[in-house]
Amino acid sequence: VTSSKNPIVRVPVFDWNQTAVADASAAALEILEGDQVPSNENTYTSSLIAGLRPSIHSSTHHAAVTTIDIHMRGFALWVICVYIALVMAVYAVVPEENIVRLSGIEQRGAVMAMSLIAVSFLSRIVPLVNGAPHQNHQSTKLSGIFIGGLTVQLVAFFTDFIMANFPVPVVIDPVLGSRVHLLRWCEWAPCATFMTFMMEGADLYWEGDMPPTDFMRTKYIHSATQGGAVFLGLMFPFCSSQKTWAAAMFVACCLYLTNFPRIWNRMKTIPSSLSEGATVEEAERFNAAKIAL
């Protein structure tokens, strides 16, 4: 952005989040009207993150975006494969008398959930099928995170579709005595892993020009901890004693609690120039960034 008094003002605009683009544009106009060049350390503009924290000034930022995009595409395929494998496994190991057709509120709940997911899914697919607007008549390339979102919706849709129309494995938890719909856990385990990775993948903040050497490894490890916690929930009905059930619950809780050190570490990296703000707009920006952690 240029003006008569200011040579060049670089505003961190990135195309992952429409809110960030709008905020950065507004900030640029404010800079032009004020004819003041903000410092790199204290300007509010330099720390606009609006739910994401990209190291936009790093020379490796675009390479990191490309890497994350490739990993998300592969992860989406992994989710589908793991989901199919888990569904086949539970149908194979559950006794035939425990494979029943749902009725009443259980069946109606699955139909309602399936319908809502279908509306959301079609609202994203129909514009692509009809030909989304694009420049220079080039085909639109779907991003990895978009494909990931569609994958999660597909898995959820087919889970509800099966539960609404076909016999499904339902077992009794040996400790709680509650009915357990195993297909739900088959859905949640891979989806929880992938959704955690998508949240981690959207976080492209680091200090310096190069990302840390364990940049990708930490994202996979944290995703595995959350997926492992959910997978142990699938194992609860198969625990043969209260001790094994309690051990599985203990490990699942420990894996889940790794969320909180991770959140604390990420909160420490919020740019110091991003204050809570004295205006409603600044407070909303701060809260959006904090919630996104």
Side-chain angles (χ1 to χ4, degrees), residues 97-257:
E97 60 269 18
N98 290 105
I99 300 179
V100 298
R101 186 180 293 271
L102 300 182
S103 60
I105 191 172
E106 291 181 331
Q107 194 265 347
R108 292 194 297 271
V111 172
M112 179 62 69
M114 176 184 66
S115 303
L116 293 175
I117 294 172
V119 171
S120 177
F121 181 81
L122 292 175
S123 67
R124 290 163 172 80
I125 290 296
V126 170
L128 299 177
V129 175
N130 291 337
H134 46 269
Q135 297 178 351
N136 300 327
H137 301 286
Q138 296 178 353
S139 60
T140 302
K141 182 180 179 180
L142 301 181
S143 66
I145 196 166
F146 186 83
I147 294 174
L150 294 181
T151 301
V152 172
Q153 287 188 318
L154 275 177
V155 171
F157 174 83
F158 279 108
T159 300
D160 289 314
F161 179 80
I162 295 173
M163 295 181 67
N165 298 281
F166 300 96
V168 294
V170 179
V171 296
I172 303 299
D173 188 289
V175 175
L176 301 178
S178 58
R179 286 166 57 88
V180 179
H181 297 82
L182 295 180
L183 285 190
R184 286 294 183 202
W185 292 100
C186 295
E187 167 199 350
W188 292 337
C191 286
T193 309
F194 188 30
M195 293 172 70
T196 304
F197 183 81
M198 285 196 291
M199 291 297 298
E200 288 288 313
D203 181 33
L204 292 177
Y205 178 82
W206 61 80
E207 295 181 357
D209 189 58
M210 297 294 293
T213 55
D214 61 346
F215 182 65
M216 290 300 303
R217 183 168 60 88
T218 54
K219 300 181 185 303
Y220 275 105
I221 290 176
H222 187 55
S223 302
T225 58
Q226 303 312 299
V230 179
F231 177 76
L232 286 173
L234 176 62
M235 296 292 102
F236 288 157
F238 301 101
C239 293
S240 58
S241 65
Q242 291 186 355
K243 290 184 178 180
T244 57
W245 190 96
M249 176 63 75
F250 176 78
V251 175
C253 290
C254 290
L255 291 174
Y256 173 76
L257 290 176

